[in-house]
Amino acid sequence: MALAGFVGAFWRIPWLLMAYLVGMLVLIILLACLVIFMYMVTIRGSGHIVPSRAYLEYHLEDFSIWLQRRVRGSYKWERIETCLSSTQICPDLNQTYTMAMDFFRAYLTPIEVNPPLYLLILN
């Protein structure tokens, strides 16, 4: 899209500039729709404070009904579980935190709380 705008402006090609402007308008509208969709799906989902834990806990029931059905009916959770079990993240956590309460009280980095995205994409 940017290349079309650059070429249209540099060589003064009006139809290419018009296509660039229309394309950018469409992309901006799609981005706004995505933001509104994400907000509507996750509007009720907020973390709950749990005693003796340093992190917030999230419950699927707090999110929209559509998202709940989508997550529960998805076949991808088995793939994610297989992916996570094949990495060293879980064994490393077991060696770092010998007792469950140590794990619950620890401040976890984002990589420990969430699986690496590149592992989920690869599988």
Side-chain angles (χ1 to χ4, degrees):
M1 193 56 44
L3 185 61
F6 177 75
V7 170
F10 190 77
W11 281 288
R12 295 187 178 127
I13 305 172
W15 65 268
L16 195 55
L17 278 173
M18 189 59 70
Y20 166 73
L21 290 175
V22 170
M24 288 303 295
L25 179 65
V26 169
L27 285 177
I28 290 169
I29 290 171
L30 287 175
L31 181 64
C33 290
L34 178 66
V35 168
I36 290 169
F37 172 74
M38 289 172 37
Y39 179 72
M40 295 304 294
V41 168
T42 60
I43 191 169
R44 296 181 307 162
S46 60
H48 302 283
I49 298 173
V50 178
S52 74
R53 299 212 178 143
Y55 55 88
L56 297 175
E57 197 166 284
Y58 294 85
H59 300 281
L60 186 59
E61 294 78 28
D62 293 339
F63 294 96
S64 72
I65 302 297
W66 177 85
L67 185 63
Q68 290 178 33
R69 276 188 269 138
R70 181 97 171 138
V71 169
R72 286 189 180 123
S74 176
Y75 64 91
K76 294 181 181 182
W77 287 112
E78 290 109 17
R79 290 176 52 196
I80 293 171
E81 182 182 14
T82 304
C83 174
L84 287 175
S85 64
S86 67
T87 66
Q88 277 297 111
I89 293 173
C90 293
D92 289 347
L93 286 176
N94 285 338
Q95 290 177 355
T96 305
Y97 307 106
T98 55
M99 304 211 30
M101 288 312 291
D102 294 338
F103 176 77
F104 293 139
R105 288 187 184 132
Y107 173 77
L108 300 176
T109 64
I111 197 75
E112 292 171 325
V113 174
N114 300 312
L117 186 59
Y118 67 89
L119 291 175
L120 299 179
I121 293 172
L122 290 177
N123 286 335

